[in-house]
Amino acid sequence: MRLDNDFRLAEDIDAFVHFGQVLTRRMRMYIADYLIKKIGIRTYWKPSEELLDSYQVHLSAQLDFLFENEQVLAELLSNQLLARRILSEVLFFFRNVAKKTQKQHPWQVEQATLEGWTARPISNLLKQWPFLLRDMLATGEVNEPQIAYHRTKLKELEKSFDITAFDLVINDLLAIWDASLQTRILRWQLSQIEDDYQQLKENIENKTLEIIRVKSTLGQITDFLNPDWNLNSALIRDEDFNVLEQFNTYLKDHSSIQHLADMLGSLREAEMETVEEYYERQLTTYSLVRNPNYKSEITGITLGDSLPHVLPQDLSLLGESETEWKFLKKFADHQLLQWQYDDSLRIKGTEEVLESRTLTRKKKKGPFIVCVDTSGSMEGIPEKIAKVLCFAIIRMAASHQRPAYLINFSTGIKTIDLYNVSNELGALVEFLKMSFRGGTDISLALDEALRQLETHQYKNADVLVISDFIMYRISEDIMQRVARQQLHYGTAFHSLIISNEANERVVERFDHVWLYNPDDKNIIQRIYKSTQQFGH
């Protein structure tokens, strides 16, 4: 799942870099790289070149605005899934910045001048570099102290004819100018949609702080964020959060309920599974780059028209007027004998490769299906205990990344799929606020539980029924299906009795039976083995 999320994020980044409508492709790559590092995202996406200091300094002033809240930044640095979702939202915003402004920026002439200098051959720049410095200073955004080192270095290299070093200094100068210009354009474009940019910042802060707040009661829920979750998705209302806080406080005062939830979570023995793990490995690579200005050693003889490299036997043709025409013809036909030099530079580099390996590890424990009796006989203390236990189980399941499916039943059923907890918080709160009424029909709830056990998401689930078990019977067809699940798939069916009047004929069909005594807040466990109970 994490690998799928990573590839999905890499696709979002590529879409922004290659198809964004803001600035240049290089600048978009730098923006993505800066944001990834800012909020600490681990991803297989790698920029094609390192973020230069000249760009980093300018970008930080514009992009850090989004993450000025230290509490928000700390949460994103520790919460990979949330950080990835928010990065996708931010890149989508920046992808369309230029379209939203609908006006040309004020530096069109300067941009054309810079592009002209970038396109000039290095041979021309050997003599024209003073004019490059003149044009940079004319912008008013670059000052003499910033380029003093480059001026001195270019004077030295102009005399030494070190083309490779000269090219590096020129490229650094152009990067300084480009970083300044592109950031001015970005700052101007953002100023044109200042309200939208401010709203993006507020959305990031509000949603992150909202998740921090909910985590304080439900634990880590963001691992179950809906794949369609975005900054416009409503998570929870203030009045609903107050309900969660009330149950969280009640749970702290009734530690035995939390203890039961923890015991339910640890019942199933850990199984082993074989998984394929992906990881990055860095390889050292070597490549040959041809540079016509680089001459290392003679490797042979070739044909051409390079006069400095012509062999003596052909040069001798110029010594006699009768043979001079032969030399000129061979020169025009590129057929002069000349020395061949090795002009290849061996460049050392690194390459990140994605590899996989097979590992055997403990399998994560399965999800929970919780059936809660909401009939009238549960009204009062049993109702409150049932709700608090559901709350505790959901907290436990979320903290261990175990999906939960809630079925509340009386004469009918209602279900809440808490795999995407953040998407169903409203429904969960409504369950916690509801009043228990009506008769009891557990068969409908178990039928729905058995149906979920046949799905991919809940096939390894444990089933818990919370009830006073004041009921006549369970459909025999349902119990036969329960028996098949217990026998063939090892599914555990738990029951929690909140009553002194439970129907023993119904209760004995469960693997584990728990009794809760509200008066002394103790839990008593009795275990029934399905192999002994079924078949009688």
Side-chain angles (χ1 to χ4, degrees), residues 33 122 125 168 250 427 478 498 514:
D33 187 36
I122 194 67
L125 288 168
L168 289 174
Y250 188 86
I478 293 293
I498 311 175
W514 308 81

Side-chain angles (χ1 to χ4, degrees), residues 159 175 408 435:
K159 297 175 182 177
N408 66 72
S435 298

Side-chain angles (χ1 to χ4, degrees), residues 331-344:
F331 176 77
D333 293 339
H334 312 291
Q335 294 294 308
L336 289 170
L337 291 172
Q338 60 184 52
W339 297 115
Q340 183 178 40
Y341 291 87
D342 182 4
D343 60 358
S344 297

Side-chain angles (χ1 to χ4, degrees), residues 58-194:
H58 289 288
L59 280 175
S60 62
Q62 305 305 313
L63 302 181
D64 286 357
F65 168 77
L66 294 174
F67 308 105
E68 287 179 334
N69 187 307
E70 293 183 3
Q71 190 178 9
V72 169
L73 182 58
E75 175 65 20
L76 295 179
L77 288 170
S78 65
N79 190 327
Q80 280 286 298
L81 181 56
L82 180 61
R84 288 161 184 262
R85 296 290 176 81
I86 285 181
L87 175 63
S88 292
E89 296 270 330
V90 172
L91 292 181
F92 181 79
F93 175 88
F94 276 109
R95 183 174 172 179
N96 298 293
V97 162
K99 187 195 303 183
K100 291 180 179 180
T101 60
Q102 297 182 338
K103 286 194 296 184
Q104 285 190 337
H105 62 77
W107 298 280
Q108 298 291 328
V109 174
E110 182 182 340
Q111 187 171 21
T113 303
L114 173 58
E115 290 172 354
W117 280 109
T118 304
R120 295 191 191 190
I122 194 67
S123 57
N124 289 7
L125 288 168
L126 279 167
K127 296 298 181 184
Q128 296 173 349
W129 63 265
F131 301 104
L132 167 62
L133 300 185
R134 177 203 63 190
D135 288 351
M136 289 181 66
L137 293 170
T139 66
E141 298 291 333
V142 179
N143 55 49
E144 180 62 40
Q146 287 179 276
I147 59 174
Y149 166 79
H150 299 80
R151 186 188 294 278
T152 303
K153 196 68 178 174
L154 289 173
K155 286 180 180 178
E156 296 174 0
L157 295 171
E158 185 182 23
K159 297 175 182 177
S160 66
F161 292 100
D162 188 343
I163 300 298
T164 302
F166 186 88
D167 192 28
L168 289 174
V169 177
I170 290 293
N171 284 335
D172 193 41
L173 275 170
L174 293 173
I176 292 172
W177 188 357
D178 185 53
S180 168
L181 174 60
Q182 295 299 327
T183 308
R184 275 179 276 145
I185 295 171
L186 178 61
R187 183 169 61 242
W188 178 85
Q189 289 176 333
L190 292 175
S191 72
Q192 303 302 299
I193 52 171
E194 185 175 354

Side-chain angles (χ1 to χ4, degrees), residues 341-378:
Y341 291 87
D342 182 4
D343 60 358
S344 297
L345 286 171
R346 190 168 183 256
I347 306 298
K348 182 180 179 180
T350 59
E351 178 183 358
E352 301 288 342
V353 296
L354 183 64
E355 296 186 349
S356 64
R357 58 189 169 205
T358 301
L359 298 176
T360 301
R361 66 184 184 190
K362 286 186 178 180
K363 188 176 181 180
K364 287 183 179 179
K365 295 183 179 181
F368 269 103
I369 298 175
V370 184
C371 305
V372 186
D373 183 354
T374 57
S375 65
S377 63
M378 290 280 288

Side-chain angles (χ1 to χ4, degrees), residues 134-285:
R134 177 203 63 190
D135 288 351
M136 289 181 66
L137 293 170
T139 66
E141 298 291 333
V142 179
N143 55 49
E144 180 62 40
Q146 287 179 276
I147 59 174
Y149 166 79
H150 299 80
R151 186 188 294 278
T152 303
K153 196 68 178 174
L154 289 173
K155 286 180 180 178
E156 296 174 0
L157 295 171
E158 185 182 23
K159 297 175 182 177
S160 66
F161 292 100
D162 188 343
I163 300 298
T164 302
F166 186 88
D167 192 28
L168 289 174
V169 177
I170 290 293
N171 284 335
D172 193 41
L173 275 170
L174 293 173
I176 292 172
W177 188 357
D178 185 53
S180 168
L181 174 60
Q182 295 299 327
T183 308
R184 275 179 276 145
I185 295 171
L186 178 61
R187 183 169 61 242
W188 178 85
Q189 289 176 333
L190 292 175
S191 72
Q192 303 302 299
I193 52 171
E194 185 175 354
D195 290 344
D196 290 348
Y197 198 45
Q198 179 66 38
Q199 188 62 55
L200 175 65
K201 176 186 179 180
E202 290 177 3
N203 285 346
I204 291 172
E205 289 185 356
N206 291 341
K207 290 302 172 185
T208 304
L209 292 174
E210 185 180 47
I211 283 175
I212 292 172
R213 189 182 184 195
V214 174
K215 275 173 60 177
S216 68
T217 59
L218 278 181
Q220 179 59 273
I221 67 165
T222 47
D223 284 333
F224 300 104
L225 281 178
N226 189 306
D228 297 324
W229 182 91
N230 56 58
L231 291 176
N232 296 318
S233 300
L235 197 59
I236 194 168
R237 301 172 299 180
D238 281 343
E239 56 267 31
D240 290 345
F241 180 75
N242 292 335
V243 173
L244 295 179
E245 279 194 322
Q246 290 171 11
F247 276 89
N248 191 46
T249 301
Y250 188 86
L251 186 59
K252 290 178 181 177
D253 295 336
H254 293 71
S255 57
S256 58
I257 297 180
Q258 183 64 62
H259 181 56
L260 172 58
D262 293 337
M263 282 195 292
L264 287 168
S266 61
L267 269 182
R268 177 174 291 193
E269 294 182 0
E271 301 171 1
M272 304 303 291
E273 67 175 348
T274 300
V275 295
E276 190 171 18
E277 180 186 70
Y278 291 87
Y279 63 97
E280 283 183 335
R281 190 158 71 89
Q282 191 176 77
L283 298 179
T284 301
T285 60

